[in-house]
Amino acid sequence: MDLVSLSGNLLFIAFLLYLVGTVFFAGSIKDKRAKEREKGTGPNKWAKTGIAITIAGFISQLGYFILRWIAAGHAPVSNLFEFTTFFGMSLVGAFIVIYFIYKTAVLGLFTLPIAMLLIGYAAMFPRDIAPLVPSLQSHWLHIHVTTAAMGQAILAISFAAGLLYLVKVIDHTKKSKESFWLEAVMFGLVCTLGFIFISTGFSASGYKADFSWVDKNNVESIAEYQLPPLVGPNQGESLTEGAMEPLVEMPGIINAKKLNTVIWSIMAGIVLYLLLRLILRKRISAALQPLTTKVNADLVDEIGYRSVLIGFPVFTLGALVFAMIWAQIAWTRFWGWDPKEVWALITFLFYAAYLHLRLSKGWHGKKSAWLGVIGFIIIMFNLIVVNLVIAGLHSYAGS
Amino acid sequence: MKEVICECGHHNPHGTVLCESCGKVLIEKDKDKKLLDMRYEGSARRSQTYNKTIIDKIWNFFSSVKVGVWLIVITLIASALGTIFPQEMYIPPVMPASEYYEDQYGWLGQLYYTLGFHNLYSSWWYLLLIASIGISIIIASLDRGIPLYRSLKTQRVTRHEGFLKRQRLFSVSEAGSEDQTFESVKEKLKAKRYRIREEDGNILAEKGRFSRWGPYVNHVGLIIFLIGGMLRFVPGMYVDEILWVREGETKVIPETDGQYYLENHEFILETYDKENSKEEFAAAIDDKGMVAKNFQSDVTLYKTKGETVHGETPQLEKVRDDSIRVNHPLKFEDLALYQVDYKLDELNQMTFALSNKETNEEYGDLTIDLYDPKDTYDLGNGYQVEIVSYFPDFEFDENSEPITKSRIPNNPAFVFKMFTPDKPEGEVSFVAIQQTIEPFTDNEYKMSFKAVETKDVTALTVRKDLTLWVLALGGFIFMIGVAQGSYWNHRRIWLRKVDGEVWMAGHTNKNWHGLKRDIASVIDGTDLNEPADQLDKKE
Ligand code: HEM
């Protein structure tokens, strides 16, 4: 087997191990004997197995990373797929460290699925190993991107902790703004899952539909759809025999293909969500709540805060300091107000605000948990929307 | 202002909440609080003490964390607005910005442009926001940092009962064998690298006080960084020029007072193709087509020798050969030259032959340097060609007069006058690419096109940025400060004997979990009670 496919297999194994790990972390909560024992006796067998499997998964993913690095000759952090998988791996790494500090198995139940969603999402993008264009041929690429991703991953722990906290403390029996928004976040996660399912499904069936279309500058080009076209491009002409006709045609200013993917993801998300509701017979967050009864809310709050405190300097170093050094060398100026740079600044400012709010009384608990959630949304915005929609110098130009 | 004298005898500045020395609550209204507000140690902060004059008001405004956070959040939102559509510097130069935004993004784009968001980051209000953050950082830090420093320096070991009782972590133990217990606790604290101070048999164990200065250090770093940013506008600190050099050409480097010259030997553009790259890349290359691999200019840097007389060609002395590539600028003195752009195959020389239209007989070639054409070219034997006019970038204007758009030979055209032995007064011919016009008569001779020579042109950014050092220093100090404040905590543990009991209290500025673990492990095996978290009790 060649290096590239071996590396791909290791990634797949890692993914499966994370899945199994999650199950064990869930089991650790249900463990009867653990319930009988007083809290403070440390993790039970289920949790210990869970963390062991998680570590095995992490090592497997590390193997993917190293082999791919050897195969490509450069650190695999140079396109959206590679970056996002690395982000997922760092998230697992950060969780492992936090686990050994705080011994909270439930956090795994929230972190690992997020990591899996990230990796699954990443896998939907082109996975070819690509050579580096001149501006990327620098050690600073590796240093900047890996540090930034690790910073983001540590910060993302505060998202997992925030979710956990909110699921635990919010009263799900009453209709309230907070329970609505928490469920909205859950729905967002389900949509990501929907995106993964639908993309995998159609690509497994080999679906393809090409259109020639005219963009807003009246330039003609080809759009390759991997999902059936619900919305078609401006003046689109189908080039594929028997492909379905788009229901609506978009104006040239809108990238119909991306919009089409978004619509499909939301539809798949709705279907999945409704299914889950049918099975669970309550909201997702309400269904998760029983799993969180044993956790100490203050401890989770503290984990959220500490992960921001630990992640903020790492993020600043990677996403701003190293980024500026590299930009000075590669683009002649350390800062150019490129959208990606601006969003890194926004992330920085946001977490600075988080830390300052935490200093003043009252911004603990729920409020700070919400901030953790919003922070992650900003990070994801920078990763997804800025890369795919607001294209700038840094655009990984996925499809 | 009058000082506040505590019962322990310490003189505190006006406005002190907790005695700097023993921690006794000095302000009446705080006396029945269950827990003390330990932020800034209850020290006398100017902003909490004075609020009369306009200066007080400004000071209090900027020292408020609430205001600081608002400033940060507003800046954050403003920054985000600037990414909705591209900033002016990133739009293609196809049309003026006033049309571009409307053309591309409709009325929203028009609005964006009208509001000035196309140059948001250099707008006065954005800069004002940044400046306010700067001022706020300075004032907030002074307001807290100095009193905090005083307080922590003055603190004594024996703390007032009221102080200990109102700490978040607090316990009272009946101590049987105090001395033995204290010894054991002290040993363990030392092993955990606490600094121990003793006074009348009471203990203060402290660790990581320097982490309290973290925020102040990082704020200083930020301020230095902002100052660095402002220095950009000081003349002479910053240079941003572009230098186009053709292959074979030697040009003076701007901003060097004519001291340095650069010769471009060759511009190299390499792309990845399947033959020359790793097989792993094959799929990606198939997918994307051409992928650039290298942009490089092979150059020689020269320095002028001796005094240069104006208008004379200077004497050049070679400094060094170098290859400028993306990510590998050429640096000398304070300047750096970066590979930023190129133009391949620009016309450089054109060769014509003077020939007879009928017989096609040729009477000699002439090669015209498109950047420096000669007036006349003597072909010998009485054959001579004169260039009457030259249009490097030719087009016809509204009146159908030939004009040139620029001095770059993108579309050269010539008016030749051909002298031959049988036409001594000469024949005039207008020659452009793909067309020849004979304005006066039917000529007997023509200029027949033979060849062109093209050259690549490289574009280099000439950059000087003397602010980088200040920015780097600021960034460095900032990083030290955040690390200091984030990765270390300031923990204190007090042990005091009160009427045969041992009172124990603990405080940390963050990471209570860690402090609790420390305490649990140091009192392990003694008869001290583990301090309860009084915050838990409240709930
Ligand atoms: C983008 C700008 C800023 C950054 C990156 C920044 C960064 C920080 C950081 C990292 C901390 C430590 C937080 C912690 O340890 O939890 C801190 C503390 C602090 N900051 Fe800022 N800050 C900024 C702006 C401001 C502004 C505008 C104010 C004005 C009110 C301010 C006031 C404070 C105060 C009062 C503290 C607490 C000091 C202490 O606990 O002793 N900061 N800052």
Side-chain angles (χ1 to χ4, degrees), chain A residues 91 94-95 98 107 111 152-162 303-304 307:
Chain A
L91 183 57
F95 163 70
I98 296 272
L107 190 64
T111 317
Q152 292 181 335
I154 303 171
L155 291 171
I157 292 282
S158 79
F159 168 61
I303 294 175
S307 68

Side-chain angles (χ1 to χ4, degrees), chain B residues 85-151:
Chain B
F85 297 134
Q87 291 289 296
E88 188 179 11
M89 58 197 155
Y90 288 114
I91 65 172
V94 285
M95 57 179 103
S98 51
E99 295 161 29
Y100 180 84
Y101 287 92
E102 191 176 7
D103 180 72
Q104 295 280 311
Y105 309 108
W107 67 271
L108 266 176
Q110 176 66 28
L111 183 69
Y112 201 76
Y113 176 80
T114 314
L115 292 175
F117 287 2
H118 63 301
N119 263 327
L120 190 144
Y121 305 111
S122 50
S123 66
W124 61 270
W125 59 273
Y126 191 80
L127 297 180
L128 193 68
L129 273 174
I130 307 268
S132 312
I133 290 182
I135 294 169
S136 181
I137 289 174
I138 296 174
I139 294 184
S141 303
L142 289 176
D143 189 60
R144 287 153 235 248
I146 294 169
L148 177 66
Y149 177 77
R150 254 187 77 114
S151 220

Side-chain angles (χ1 to χ4, degrees), chain A residues 103-126:
Chain A
K103 301 279 178 351
T104 39
V106 206
L107 190 64
L109 190 61
F110 281 74
T111 317
L112 289 184
I114 297 171
M116 287 189 294
L117 279 180
L118 281 170
I119 296 169
Y121 175 79
M124 299 304 115
F125 291 89

Side-chain angles (χ1 to χ4, degrees), chain A residues 264-293:
Chain A
W264 269 106
S265 310
I266 293 176
M267 285 187 358
I270 292 175
V271 171
L272 271 178
Y273 182 78
L274 290 179
L275 267 174
L276 279 170
R277 283 295 288 264
L278 267 178
I279 299 168
L280 299 170
R281 309 217 148 265
K282 38 170 113 87
R283 294 179 169 196
I284 298 182
S285 19
L288 284 171
Q289 195 171 35
L291 298 175
T292 62
T293 41

